[in-house]
Amino acid sequence: PTKLRVSEAFLDAQVGEKVRIQGWVRSFRPQKQNLFLHVNDGSSLKSLQVIAPAAMNDPLLGFGCAVEVRGILKKSPHSKQPVELEAEQIWVIGECNPVDFPFKIKERHSLEYIRQFLHLRCRTNAFSSLLRIRSEATAAVHSYFKNNGFLLVHTPTITSNDCEGAGELFQVEPPGTTFANEGSFFSVPVYLTVSGQLHLEVMSGAFPRVYTFGPTFRAENSQSRRHLAEFFMVEAEISFTESIEDLTKVWKSAFGAAASDFTIISAYIFLSPLHLKDTLDDMLRKSFPVITYTEAIDILKRSSETFTFPTDWGCDLMTEHEKFLVKHCGNIPVFVTDYPHDLKPFYARDNQDHPKHTAAAVDLLVPGVGELSGGSLREERLDLLRSRLGEYLDLRRFGSVPHGGFGLGFERYLQCILGVDNIKDVIPFPRFSHSCLL
Ligand code: ATP
Ligand code: MG
Ligand code: MG
Ligand code: MG
């Protein structure tokens, strides 16, 4: 018999064929005449119904166990499922003790509950859907950049600079070495990367469009719903960029790239119905509003009577402010531009608008999450770079061009398009303070 993935069993062409499938039992109903089970193998949300004569029952067969089934695929008399597998043989490949198994048959478990079992949550519909979407979205990000002429650069994980200057570094040394002295492994203090941007900027000196997409590390104290100690960031850098609009155009279409192929994604959706196709399509059809930081502060101050998070010009936006602004702008993504220079990293381009002193820096705020992405035009004028970062300054001496880029948190992106409240539910193995399970 042909070995099929469960999703392939639903293709019409297979009806009447003798096949075998392997997977895990998602439901189990022994009746007088027949046994009914559903088998899922992670290939899609669908589970295949298997019917077997009651005599085939095996004490090891039950919810959660791994099986191989051989039989004939038949059209099903029930409208809910187009095909079913009439079993000729069933083998229990791996038994499952139902008492210890944390998921119970027919129960709908919350994301918080299944998160306690990192090693088993991929066996739930909710999390396996998420993993398929995450994988598709990853591929969509790469194909978007490839199709738009970007070069993929593998930026290093170990770096000797604090790109963001936000002081959220993890320092790295082999066990037993003293940190940051002559005897240390690299002879200089080194850290896990907090951003690939400086390395992308290096490459953008020869390739006008570059991107990277990899793990990023920040020692966040926060127990927030949108911060992890290890997350994945999509970063792009574009040379010969004169204006923020050059940047936001790419930014918006990159945002839409993974989300727009909803024929794929909707087949996997199991999570919150909040942000399903219509909302997302609607969001992508509109142009994203652009407001300045100064306008944003005005909006927030005008609304301060109904809103308990006061702010003032010069303060960074808190998550609550960002979510409020998104709602205020019609609950679609919004670009906020021209932040105070002091709030953004040293490399953001100075707008030279004394006395306000802002930078050509932009954040993209999205529903449900707030800040999804941050970017800027980079300061290409050597004399204006006050900070002295050896090679960074050199980059401005040999054929420097106006350029800009952005970094987009991939987990926050998934949170936004799927309406998932907690970032820990969109990554297979979440790392945060006091937690590095598995
Ligand atoms: P925040 O203000 O939320 O702490 P940030 O301004 O420090 O974010 P950036 O340095 O602008 O973050 O990084 C670019 C993007 O990376 C952010 O817009 C966000 O989507 C994502 N990001 C940053 N820190 C984290 C984190 N700890 N966990 C998950 N994603 C993150
Ligand atoms: Mg931060
Ligand atoms: Mg921020
Ligand atoms: Mg930011």
Side-chain angles (χ1 to χ4, degrees):
T2 328
K3 186 169 157 183
L4 288 187
R5 300 202 308 148
V6 165
S7 57
E8 293 167 331
F10 289 90
L11 305 174
D12 273 352
Q14 301 295 342
V15 172
E17 295 294 311
K18 198 165 171 140
V19 303
R20 66 189 178 105
I21 57 152
Q22 296 166 330
W24 292 267
V25 174
R26 283 293 177 79
S27 80
F28 183 64
R29 263 185 312 133
Q31 291 188 346
K32 254 208 193 110
Q33 307 274 314
N34 289 308
L35 301 175
F36 294 91
L37 39 141
H38 278 95
V39 178
N40 183 284
D41 67 351
S43 56
S44 79
L45 191 53
K46 291 179 182 164
S47 298
L48 181 62
Q49 165 147 300
V50 174
I51 302 182
M56 257 189 224
N57 204 351
D58 174 333
L60 297 181
L61 197 57
F63 178 60
C65 74
V67 290
E68 171 163 334
V69 184
R70 292 180 188 208
I72 314 259
L73 267 183
K74 299 250 164 99
K75 270 224 162 355
S76 167
H78 306 285
S79 55
K80 265 191 169 170
Q81 55 210 18
V83 290
E84 56 194 22
L85 182 57
E86 221 174 81
E88 291 171 350
Q89 275 175 304
I90 301 178
W91 290 270
V92 175
I93 298 174
E95 56 192 280
C96 171
N97 179 342
V99 180
D100 298 335
F101 195 51
F103 308 135
K104 302 299 167 212
I105 194 160
K106 283 192 180 153
E107 257 177 56
R108 205 181 228 279
H109 302 289
S110 69
L111 293 176
E112 289 75 24
Y113 178 80
I114 64 172
R115 199 193 303 141
Q116 296 171 271
F117 311 99
L118 289 187
H119 59 306
L120 290 170
R121 70 176 171 163
C122 53
R123 294 271 289 278
T124 63
N125 275 341
F127 203 70
S128 65
S129 296
L130 178 274
L131 288 177
R132 283 186 296 267
I133 293 169
R134 191 180 159 113
S135 171
E136 290 293 339
T138 302
V141 166
H142 284 297
S143 70
Y144 171 81
F145 284 108
K146 187 174 163 51
N147 294 337
N148 285 278
F150 282 79
L151 181 86
L152 169 64
V153 175
H154 290 123
T155 52
T157 302
I158 296 177
T159 68
S160 56
N161 56 58
D162 173 8
C163 176
E164 293 299 299
E168 290 154 347
L169 298 163
F170 285 107
Q171 196 165 347
V172 204
E173 279 299 335
T177 3
T178 332
F179 275 76
N181 66 10
E182 305 266 293
S184 71
F185 187 88
F186 290 102
S187 302
V188 288
V190 300
Y191 315 99
L192 295 179
T193 180
V194 291
S195 161
Q197 186 200 313
L198 295 185
H199 299 95
L200 285 186
E201 279 196 70
V202 169
M203 294 307 169
S204 75
F207 304 97
R209 298 188 145 210
V210 289
Y211 82 105
T212 192
F213 182 5
T216 306
F217 306 87
R218 295 189 188 183
E220 309 272 4
N221 281 320
S222 142
Q223 288 287 334
S224 87
R225 292 167 176 270
R226 60 174 218 186
H227 289 88
L228 289 167
E230 176 177 7
F231 62 100
F232 281 70
M233 183 141 65
V234 180
E235 288 175 276
E237 200 67 31
I238 306 161
S239 303
F240 306 103
T241 303
E242 301 286 350
S243 69
I244 287 287
E245 290 74 58
D246 291 345
L247 214 57
T248 52
K249 250 186 265 154
V250 178
W251 209 328
K252 186 192 174 194
S253 54
F255 174 88
S260 60
D261 195 354
F262 236 89
T263 43
I264 300 175
I265 291 190
S266 60
Y268 294 145
I269 286 268
F270 182 75
L271 301 157
S272 160
L274 257 180
H275 285 253
L276 287 180
K277 193 170 170 28
D278 290 347
T279 332
L280 206 58
D281 278 355
D282 197 39
M283 208 191 279
L284 293 172
R285 253 195 312 273
K286 295 183 178 140
S287 56
F288 297 171
V290 182
I291 59 173
T292 64
Y293 167 88
T294 304
E295 285 163 352
I297 294 292
D298 284 347
I299 293 169
L300 291 169
K301 288 180 99 166
R302 263 189 274 125
S303 321
S304 66
E305 270 152 40
T306 50
F307 188 56
T308 48
F309 301 92
T311 186
D312 221 332
W313 203 96
C315 300
D316 206 357
L317 300 178
M318 306 193 311
T319 309
E320 288 76 11
H321 297 134
E322 294 171 346
K323 288 185 174 172
F324 184 89
L325 290 167
V326 168
K327 284 222 179 86
H328 181 89
C329 294
N331 221 26
I332 60 170
V334 48
F335 286 110
V336 179
T337 66
D338 303 306
Y339 280 78
H341 200 279
D342 287 350
L343 292 182
K344 292 294 169 186
F346 72 94
Y347 49 72
R349 196 173 201 273
D350 198 328
N351 282 333
Q352 294 197 291
D353 52 349
H354 305 295
K356 268 219 145 65
H357 199 199
T358 60
V362 193
D363 276 5
L364 175 58
L365 315 181
V366 296
V369 181
E371 177 180 340
L372 168 70
S373 184
S376 65
L377 298 182
R378 317 307 191 191
E379 187 57 78
E380 86 285 6
R381 297 160 296 187
L382 180 59
D383 55 319
L384 284 186
L385 274 172
R386 278 147 299 173
S387 147
R388 298 205 325 267
L389 241 187
E391 292 83 3
Y392 194 73
L393 291 187
D394 250 12
L395 292 179
R396 305 296 185 264
R397 279 210 282 259
F398 306 114
S400 171
V401 301
H403 61 292
F406 58 86
L408 182 151
F410 186 56
E411 284 74 22
R412 290 193 193 176
Y413 178 73
L414 293 172
Q415 279 187 275
C416 168
I417 63 170
L418 300 174
V420 175
D421 183 47
N422 195 320
I423 195 167
K424 300 178 185 84
D425 296 322
V426 296
I427 189 164
F429 302 105
R431 272 86 179 90
F432 49 99
S433 57
H434 310 298
S435 179
C436 187
L437 300 169
L438 199 64

